Amino acid sequence: MLPFTTLLSIDKESSQPIFLQIANNIVNIIREGQIKPGTMLPGTRALARLLNIHRKTVISAYDELYAQSWIEVIPKKGARIAQNLPDLKPQRWNEPRLSSYGEFLAAPFYPMEPHMPIASAPVLRFPEFIIDEGYPDARLAPLDLLNREYRSRAKQAAARKWLPGSLAGGSPLLREALVGYLLESRGLNIQMQHTMVTHGAQMSIYIAASLLLQAGDKVIVGDPSYFLANKVFEKLGAHLVKVPVDAHGMDMDAVEQACKKHKVNALYVIPHHHHPTTVTLSPERRMRLLELSRKFDFAIIEDDYDYEFHYSSAPYLPLASSQHEGRVIYIGSFSKSIASSVRIGFMIAPADFIRQAIQLRLMIDLRGDHILEDALAVLIQNGDIGRYLKKANKVYFDRLNNICTSLQELKGIIDFDRPSGGMAIWASFNKDYPLAKVADAAVAKGLYISRGFQSHGNLRDSNSIRMGFAAMNINEMNAAIEILSKVLKAKI
């Protein structure tokens, strides 16, 4: 007789029902070979006495095992382990049960290389202050209004029926709202079939790149550029063709030379507040880029992740608003304009490309949160998002002024050019102050800053970072800069 009181451990404090705990434990001992196919199980009364539980609980456990075909029920005899299961080698009862999950997968697979850590290390404790790479302050966002709309629509959604796959392109209400919103804010003349809602700009980049690039294809990117976009292109097997980025954006002479040398399939550009350097692509270069796209027949992935925030003047209209003859895939995100937790982005492209993109999305993600998308659509249509953005622009403008004033006291150690918009500045540290050491010393004092490699995608000698100013209020930022100043003046 097996020691069922030992093998079938029950945790009455667990949220998992006891009958499921019993069923799962029996499955485990079958898999471990401790009980062979065809073996009779104890009767329900006998097992209930052994485990000191109600007989109905054991009956429910046996019913679950029978439904999953682990056991067979023999009339007037009881239950036994199904005979068609493989005969496994038994383990000793007193051996500890080890998890099958260790550090490495035993079977072959294709690892992500090279490994790219995201956080600064070592983090000795949860930092009191975080200078991020440029995120919005969720405390300013109309999340209460968004939650209100979400709650009211969640009840309605239970009664609505959707065809399978009908929401893969996003909520129809939000897609329709984007038509008017992008026309008014960015001059995009589009219809609903040109829109697709995603879980953020990163998903849009991945989907667009997957349709544009295959192994061996060439894609032009800036140097430096948004490193996670570069990782997507490389994972797809594409070769990066890097061209310099200066104070006026991507160098178009270098783009033309690259196109003459290579057959280019796509170009990835961030014309408005380039990531990471925050520079803006000049009007002359924008026009020339469109000409080069026609001449050399490549697609443009336009990443416009924080178009909404500008301070000195009205922003340049996106490339997508021009006569580009269907060559621009335009990407934006509400995660950067509202709050990082609101994972809603969008892609604008010709109708056939959007149809293909929706088909691709169905393979990895059947739909987004269409209730949240509907709620956001209401806030767009009734003007709440527009009013919030006007307020946020004023607040972020004050925060930009504040960080620029504070960093002037560290001139010579930190150099930067004041950006015209966005939520971050591009700060270059004196080579005598290695960012890796500065970051480690700062985090020990309660301040997290990047070690720099996130901005470049590798561990090469780089001493520049994006310093976000939007997520912290002025008092918080002043406290953070004070910690940074003490670390720097201590001569790391």
Side-chain angles (χ1 to χ4, degrees):
M1 184 71 174
L2 289 171
F4 284 102
T5 53
T6 302
L7 294 173
L8 304 183
S9 57
I10 294 174
D11 180 4
K12 294 186 178 180
E13 300 298 322
S14 173
S15 59
Q16 187 179 54
I18 291 176
F19 83 93
L20 276 182
Q21 294 183 48
I22 295 171
N24 290 339
N25 281 329
I26 291 175
V27 169
N28 285 334
I29 64 176
I30 294 171
R31 284 173 168 165
E32 292 169 1
Q34 297 183 36
I35 185 168
K36 292 183 176 295
T39 302
M40 295 298 297
L41 289 171
T44 54
R45 287 188 179 85
L47 188 57
R49 284 195 300 270
L50 282 172
L51 300 179
N52 195 26
I53 58 176
H54 200 282
R55 183 191 173 205
K56 288 184 178 179
T57 303
V58 179
I59 293 173
S60 296
Y62 281 10
D63 286 344
E64 181 70 20
L65 292 167
Y66 178 76
Q68 296 183 26
S69 301
W70 287 102
I71 67 172
E72 301 167 340
V73 177
I74 311 300
K76 299 182 180 179
K77 290 187 177 180
R80 71 182 180 190
I81 307 301
Q83 291 185 310
N84 60 349
L85 298 175
D87 192 1
L88 301 175
K89 183 179 178 180
Q91 298 178 357
R92 293 174 60 89
W93 294 337
N94 58 356
E95 285 180 348
R97 294 187 183 182
L98 300 177
S99 171
S100 296
Y101 293 97
E103 183 69 19
F104 301 104
L105 182 71
F109 74 109
Y110 300 102
M112 299 285 291
E113 293 291 348
H115 177 60
M116 179 56 62
I118 298 300
S120 177
V123 177
L124 302 180
R125 59 188 174 92
F126 190 81
E128 184 177 1
F129 302 106
I130 297 175
I131 298 180
D132 57 36
E133 63 169 24
Y135 292 102
D137 189 343
R139 295 170 294 188
L140 302 178
L143 296 181
D144 54 340
L145 301 179
L146 191 63
N147 288 334
R148 181 196 66 195
E149 289 296 334
Y150 190 99
R151 288 193 300 270
S152 67
R153 292 182 170 275
K155 296 178 181 179
Q156 303 171 20
R160 299 173 70 180
K161 298 184 184 299
W162 298 95
L163 291 172
S166 62
L167 297 175
S171 148
L173 187 62
L174 180 55
R175 294 176 71 187
E176 189 62 43
L178 282 172
V179 172
Y181 177 73
L182 295 178
L183 176 63
E184 181 179 350
S185 63
R186 294 162 171 81
L188 268 66
N189 185 13
I190 57 173
Q191 297 177 357
M192 182 175 167
Q193 62 263 33
H194 302 131
T195 68
M196 176 181 179
V197 180
T198 65
H199 277 309
Q202 191 66 33
M203 175 183 269
S204 299
I205 292 169
Y206 188 91
I207 291 174
S210 298
L211 294 175
L212 293 171
L213 301 170
Q214 292 184 347
D217 288 344
K218 305 292 192 302
V219 55
I220 295 178
V221 299
D223 187 16
S225 185
Y226 177 44
F227 83 99
L228 281 179
N230 286 359
K231 289 296 177 185
V232 168
F233 306 146
E234 290 176 327
K235 184 61 178 174
L236 293 170
H239 297 304
L240 303 183
V241 180
K242 297 184 178 182
V243 300
V245 173
D246 59 25
H248 303 289
M250 186 178 283
D251 184 339
M252 289 302 130
D253 287 335
V255 170
E256 183 169 14
Q257 290 303 313
C259 290
K260 290 178 178 179
K261 186 176 180 181
H262 307 283
K263 174 63 180 79
V264 172
N265 291 71
L267 179 144
Y268 172 75
V269 64
I270 312 171
H272 193 67
H273 310 149
H274 172 74
H275 194 295
T277 66
T278 76
V279 299
T280 296
L281 190 66
S282 68
E284 295 81 7
R285 293 189 182 184
R286 289 167 185 254
M287 293 173 63
R288 190 170 174 198
L289 174 55
L290 292 172
E291 292 173 1
L292 292 172
S293 175
R294 297 186 191 102
K295 180 178 179 180
F296 293 101
D297 194 26
F298 60 80
I300 299 171
I301 303 174
E302 182 178 12
D303 186 350
D304 210 0
Y305 65 98
D306 68 351
Y307 179 88
E308 287 85 358
F309 300 112
H310 44 273
Y311 314 119
S312 58
S313 63
Y316 299 139
L317 289 177
L319 295 168
S321 67
S322 63
Q323 293 299 319
H324 54 77
E325 301 173 357
R327 295 185 180 277
V328 176
I329 294 97
Y330 182 74
I331 290 170
S333 175
F334 289 101
S335 302
K336 284 296 181 72
S337 58
I338 300 178
S340 301
S341 58
V342 180
R343 299 303 306 163
I344 297 179
F346 53 87
M347 183 197 307
I348 309 300
D352 180 61
F353 191 88
I354 291 296
R355 285 192 291 271
Q356 299 294 319
I358 291 172
Q359 289 297 314
L360 178 57
R361 183 196 177 145
L362 278 167
M363 298 181 188
I364 57 173
D365 184 27
L366 294 178
R367 68 182 67 85
D369 185 343
H370 65 275
I371 302 176
L372 179 61
E373 293 168 6
D374 280 354
L376 177 59
V378 172
L379 267 58
I380 291 173
Q381 292 171 331
N382 66 19
D384 286 324
I385 293 298
R387 287 186 287 274
Y388 151 70
L389 289 172
K390 288 182 180 179
K391 173 186 174 183
N393 264 276
K394 293 178 181 178
V395 173
Y396 293 164
F397 179 61
D398 290 340
R399 294 180 183 181
L400 171 62
N401 288 335
N402 178 68
I403 192 173
C404 289
T405 300
S406 299
L407 290 181
Q408 285 295 333
E409 299 179 7
L410 296 172
K411 192 173 182 179
I413 301 176
I414 301 178
D415 292 322
F416 66 95
D417 290 324
R418 180 190 176 95
S420 61
M423 293 178 283
I425 64 172
W426 180 239
S428 298
F429 284 62
N430 187 298
K431 65 180 181 180
D432 294 331
Y433 298 83
L435 263 171
K437 292 184 178 180
V438 171
D440 290 346
V443 81
K445 296 182 179 295
L447 168 66
Y448 168 87
I449 63 169
S450 167
R451 305 175 100 218
F453 58 77
Q454 291 101 323
S455 298
H456 295 269
N458 56 45
L459 297 174
R460 72 186 183 186
D461 184 21
S462 168
N463 230 34
S464 301
I465 57 170
R466 286 171 60 88
M467 296 182 67
F469 57 80
M472 288 193 284
N473 63 36
I474 288 177
N475 289 335
E476 291 166 339
M477 180 57 75
N478 288 343
I481 297 297
E482 183 177 354
I483 293 173
L484 180 60
S485 178
K486 289 179 180 178
V487 168
L488 294 170
K489 291 178 180 179
K491 297 183 178 180
I492 297 300

